[in-house]
Structure formats: structure tokens, C-alpha cells
Amino acid sequence: MLFRSDGVDAWSRERVEGSVPAYRAALVALGVPSAELERAVEDVGRALTRVLESERGRWILASYGDAACEYPLCGVVDGTIVSVRMDRSFVDDLGVRWIIDYKTSSHEGSGSEAFLDNERERYRGQLELYRRIFSGMEQRPVRAALYFPLLDGWREVEFDPAQAGKAI
């Protein structure tokens, strides 16, 4: 992620616009087909701008203790070794471990709240897996959410209390 090295406060709309060649090159390196490249570049610019304009987006990318982007983690869950890569994780000022999963989906038209609710259910298992790995490593509260920068959408994922103490 572009904000990883110098933080969200060092970015402005002008810097996002000036970084178009960098994310165009990154998208090409990731294999985005040329027919889709310009739309992808526009989507990246729009998403970054919305993050900068969003109180929630800036909160997610603020400087925190024990923060990481593209965080690789391994653990044993239900007797199976799992390896994951989390979009963003940090410990907030209250000592809560946050796991944030970015979603670049956009939704046009009505029903955006239902769309966000459906996405929460769709990704609940993935975030539960992340929570279980962290719960086996740390003794702190763990919260998780989906963040949709193109929508400035947010859905926290509540965990089953019966699973809350079940780590590994």
C-alpha cells in the first residue's frame, strides 16, 4: 500500500494525482490486462482520494503501535497449519487489536446497506480465521471489519461468543 512507508498524513489529493505513473506500473506488474488498465488506474486514484477524505479511512491508516499492512501470519487452527495475509492490522489506543480487510467492490444504485451486510456475511469466515490466529498469540480484545474505500463503507464483523475464547 502506498501509505505504508510515510503515513496517511503525508498524502494529499495532489500527491495521489501525481502518483498515477506509480500505480499504473504496479497494476501492470500485477498483470492487469491492458484493456482494463485505465479503469483500474482511475479506481485506484478514486479509492485513495476517498480514503484521504474519509475520517474512517484516515483512522484506519493512522500511525499505531504494532501496525502492519499486508501482514503475513501463520498459525494452527483446528489442527491445521494456516498461512494468511491481512490487509491491515493495528493495536488502537485502547489496546484493541483491529483487523481490517479492504474491499474494492463498488455498488451503484439503491440497496447499498444490504450490499454491505451481504459482504460482511460473505467474508465472516475469513475474518474469524484471522481473529483465531491472533487470539492464539495475544491476550487482548480482537475486533475486525471490512472497509470499502470506494463507498466509504464499513462493516464490523461480530464474532460468535462461543468461539471467542477458541483460539487454536
Side-chain angles (χ1 to χ4, degrees), residues 34-88:
S34 59
E36 299 172 24
L37 185 59
E38 287 313 307
R39 178 172 171 123
V41 167
E42 289 173 16
D43 287 348
V44 169
R46 194 168 67 249
L48 292 173
T49 299
R50 289 200 176 161
V51 167
L52 292 172
E53 293 172 349
S54 162
E55 185 176 332
R56 172 92 57 197
R58 294 183 72 81
W59 173 79
I60 291 168
L61 293 174
S63 296
Y64 294 101
D66 200 16
C69 295
E70 296 296 318
Y71 188 16
L73 204 56
C74 292
V76 178
V77 176
D78 296 332
T80 301
I81 297 172
V82 295
S83 177
V84 300
R85 182 173 300 272
M86 290 175 234
D87 292 341
R88 174 84 170 144

Side-chain angles (χ1 to χ4, degrees), residues 2 22 28-29 31 37 39 58 62-64 118 122 125 134 159 166:
L2 295 170
V28 168
L37 185 59
R39 178 172 171 123
R58 294 183 72 81
S63 296
Y64 294 101
N118 287 338
R122 180 177 172 193
F134 267 118
F159 298 118
K166 189 175 180 181

Side-chain angles (χ1 to χ4, degrees), residues 102-123:
Y102 303 119
K103 297 298 175 199
T104 57
S105 307
S106 60
H107 180 80
E108 299 183 22
S110 63
S112 61
E113 293 300 311
F115 168 76
L116 294 173
D117 290 342
N118 287 338
E119 292 296 280
R120 174 180 43 211
E121 295 314 308
R122 180 177 172 193
Y123 292 102

Side-chain angles (χ1 to χ4, degrees), residues 15-31:
R15 186 168 178 192
V16 168
E17 291 169 1
S19 297
V20 168
Y23 36 90
R24 178 177 286 113
L27 291 166
V28 168
L30 289 169

